[in-house]
């Protein structure tokens, strides 16, 4: 695969990941946990949701970091949007 095609594929791949990641963060924020009577089940649900959001945030930072190195305005704008979702704007 030529270098230019490889870079273009990587850019498209990152853009697709960002388009999947942003709605996922919004959905996780809107998600309301059920209120079961069992405190152990409730705790397990809260821990699972917290770990899921942490993994999603880590992925978002990696994608934003890669877009932050790019020169085009839309890639840098997408990097800023992704970094804003995790309150890390000093890239």
């Amino acid at each position: 695969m030529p270098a230019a095609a490889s870079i273009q594929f990587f850019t498209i791949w990152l853009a697709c990941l960002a388009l999947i990641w942003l709605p996922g963060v919004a959905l996780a924020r809107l998600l309301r946990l059920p209120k079961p009577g069992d405190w152990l089940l409730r705790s397990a649900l809260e821990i699972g949701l917290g770990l899921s959001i942490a993994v999603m945030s880590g992925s978002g930072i990696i994608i934003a970091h890669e877009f932050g190195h790019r020169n085009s305005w839309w890639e840098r704008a997408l990097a800023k949007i992704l970094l804003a979702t995790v309150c890390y704007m000093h890239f």
Side-chain angles (χ1 to χ4, degrees):
M1 182 179 280
S6 177
I7 292 171
Q8 185 179 13
F9 172 76
F10 188 61
T11 300
I12 292 169
W13 178 250
L14 287 176
C16 290
L17 287 176
L19 292 175
I20 293 169
W21 186 81
L22 284 171
V25 170
L27 181 64
R29 175 64 183 103
L30 295 175
L31 184 64
R32 299 286 186 245
L33 294 174
K35 296 183 181 176
D38 185 10
W39 66 270
L40 185 60
L41 178 59
R42 173 83 178 164
S43 299
L45 289 172
E46 288 177 357
I47 290 170
L49 181 62
L51 289 174
S52 298
I53 292 173
V55 168
M56 289 172 53
S57 296
S59 301
I61 289 172
I62 293 169
I63 296 167
H65 177 85
E66 291 302 320
F67 275 132
H69 289 292
R70 304 299 174 89
N71 291 327
S72 70
W73 67 269
W74 71 269
E75 290 169 326
R76 293 188 65 85
L78 188 56
K80 289 180 182 180
I81 292 168
L82 291 171
L83 289 172
T85 62
V86 293
C87 300
Y88 189 78
M89 291 302 297
H90 48 291
F91 176 75

